Amino acid sequence: MKLHEYQSKQIFSRYGIPIPKGRVTTTAEEARNIATEIGGRVVIKSQVLVGGRGKAGGIRVAKDPHEAEEIATHILAMEIKGLPVRKVLVDEAANISKEIYLGITNDRAARKPVMMASSAGGVEIEEVARTTPENIIKEHIDPLLGLKDYQARDIAIGIDLPKQHWKIFNQIANGLWHVYQDCDATLAEINPLVITEDNRLIALDGKMLLDDNALFRHPDLSELRDLDGEAPSEIEARKYGLSFIKLDGNIGCMVNGAGLAMTTMDIIKLFGGEPANFLDIGGGAGSDKVTAAMKIILTDPKVKTVLFNIFGGITRCDEVARGILVAIAEVKPKVPMVVRLVGTNAEEGRKLLSDANMITADTLADAAQKAVTAVKTVKAGR
Ligand code: GDP
Ligand code: MN
């Protein structure tokens, strides 16, 4: 789950990271009021869950409250990379003398969180990593020991931070580490962390990604979710407790069990196809869940064939078959469907589906090959 800039910065602030004075709003009139309260120049920032808002024209400086209202009106009517702007953050404008990057994420290979910093802030870190990787300073953090002072100092030295800023930098780096740990984040990023012309360090931008699997222990953070930034199919899937991830291929997959779902995707690829999604309907799924899953798969216009791979254990194949039939009746799919049912009540399941004009398969390899062939016939218009 992604947090907005204003949400991330509010959290940062609670951990001793300096942020600009400012507030978020949904209206241009209020933007004007906030600008009046702040006084002087303000920056109006679109709150959408994508990067590169600056380049897209979603971040602009206003010299007075009147201009703040004008700019806010304009930005609130914008769409950035397909997402509507519903909120703007009105912040005190900073006079920037230098932009720094500071972030923490998980380094899977090292099995530790890693703090990264770069003196080339403001630009996306992926860009720095590609063009000048030597400009990224990394410190792995032992999760039991936390970030040590010497590590923060090493980073400060690595990015040529003038000594007068080391103390506050240490506070910011520590704050970011604790934010990352306390919120179960997978990313906590300040880009840019700026040195102002009057020599203060301020987090101008903030970004956080939270681990969905840990959200159950952060009810306060769960409430910050903005559905605008998520694929509608994934929102729908979450409602029904389905593990669903949309992919780019054209063979829709409905499988019970995460391991089996991954195996199914692998074998589709082995036979030259591309899965359209990962979908685990879970153990013991009833027909309503199957119907929901089927609708989610079929609303993707890219899907040219659906492959059902159900290994009946706790899940009963007849129950799955009933769900499929309900979904077929409602959605009236035009694409071929390949089904492999084995295990508990497979015989009853197959019987139920025998009138449904589906391609049946006995083994997983057989099913995958038939699905790949079916896609080709659809594409050829037959
Ligand atoms: P992003 O483009 O979505 O990453 O949004 P940011 O919040 O990082 O802003 C992009 C850029 O706008 C920053 O790198 C700054 O150069 C500039 N910017 C943001 N806020 C201010 C500000 O208060 N004053 C000035 N002068 N520039 C700002
Ligand atoms: Mn940024």
mmCIF file of all heavy atoms in Angstrom, residues 53 122 189 191-192 205, ligand 2:
data_model
loop_
_atom_site.group_PDB
_atom_site.id
_atom_site.type_symbol
_atom_site.label_atom_id
_atom_site.label_comp_id
_atom_site.label_asym_id
_atom_site.label_seq_id
_atom_site.Cartn_x
_atom_site.Cartn_y
_atom_site.Cartn_z
ATOM 1 N N ARG A 53 5.676 14.020 -10.322
ATOM 2 C CA ARG A 53 4.594 15.008 -10.392
ATOM 3 C C ARG A 53 5.131 16.352 -10.844
ATOM 4 O O ARG A 53 4.447 17.108 -11.530
ATOM 5 C CB ARG A 53 3.940 15.152 -9.011
ATOM 6 C CG ARG A 53 3.254 13.912 -8.529
ATOM 7 C CD ARG A 53 2.960 14.024 -7.063
ATOM 8 N NE ARG A 53 4.207 14.227 -6.295
ATOM 9 C CZ ARG A 53 4.268 14.733 -5.088
ATOM 10 N NH1 ARG A 53 3.162 15.127 -4.493
ATOM 11 N NH2 ARG A 53 5.420 14.863 -4.459
ATOM 12 N N GLY A 122 16.417 14.754 -5.747
ATOM 13 C CA GLY A 122 15.440 15.367 -6.647
ATOM 14 C C GLY A 122 15.121 14.479 -7.830
ATOM 15 O O GLY A 122 13.968 14.323 -8.189
ATOM 16 N N GLU A 189 11.078 7.058 2.058
ATOM 17 C CA GLU A 189 11.982 7.811 1.191
ATOM 18 C C GLU A 189 11.760 9.316 1.307
ATOM 19 O O GLU A 189 10.626 9.773 1.343
ATOM 20 C CB GLU A 189 11.717 7.353 -0.252
ATOM 21 C CG GLU A 189 12.635 7.919 -1.290
ATOM 22 C CD GLU A 189 12.244 7.424 -2.689
ATOM 23 O OE1 GLU A 189 11.342 8.025 -3.304
ATOM 24 O OE2 GLU A 189 12.835 6.443 -3.154
ATOM 25 N N ASN A 191 12.819 12.468 -0.883
ATOM 26 C CA ASN A 191 13.480 12.848 -2.141
ATOM 27 C C ASN A 191 12.777 14.033 -2.791
ATOM 28 O O ASN A 191 11.781 13.865 -3.458
ATOM 29 C CB ASN A 191 13.493 11.673 -3.108
ATOM 30 C CG ASN A 191 14.341 11.975 -4.336
ATOM 31 O OD1 ASN A 191 15.233 12.807 -4.283
ATOM 32 N ND2 ASN A 191 14.040 11.316 -5.439
ATOM 33 N N PRO A 192 13.249 15.220 -2.579
ATOM 34 C CA PRO A 192 14.528 15.566 -1.966
ATOM 35 C C PRO A 192 14.444 15.910 -0.488
ATOM 36 O O PRO A 192 13.450 16.421 -0.013
ATOM 37 C CB PRO A 192 14.918 16.827 -2.751
ATOM 38 C CG PRO A 192 13.601 17.502 -3.015
ATOM 39 C CD PRO A 192 12.605 16.393 -3.188
ATOM 40 N N ASP A 205 9.878 16.217 0.160
ATOM 41 C CA ASP A 205 8.973 15.213 -0.402
ATOM 42 C C ASP A 205 9.036 13.982 0.492
ATOM 43 O O ASP A 205 10.035 13.766 1.184
ATOM 44 C CB ASP A 205 9.408 14.853 -1.833
ATOM 45 C CG ASP A 205 8.364 14.028 -2.565
ATOM 46 O OD1 ASP A 205 7.245 13.868 -2.040
ATOM 47 O OD2 ASP A 205 8.671 13.521 -3.677
HETATM 48 MN MN MN B 2 10.293 13.627 -5.155
#
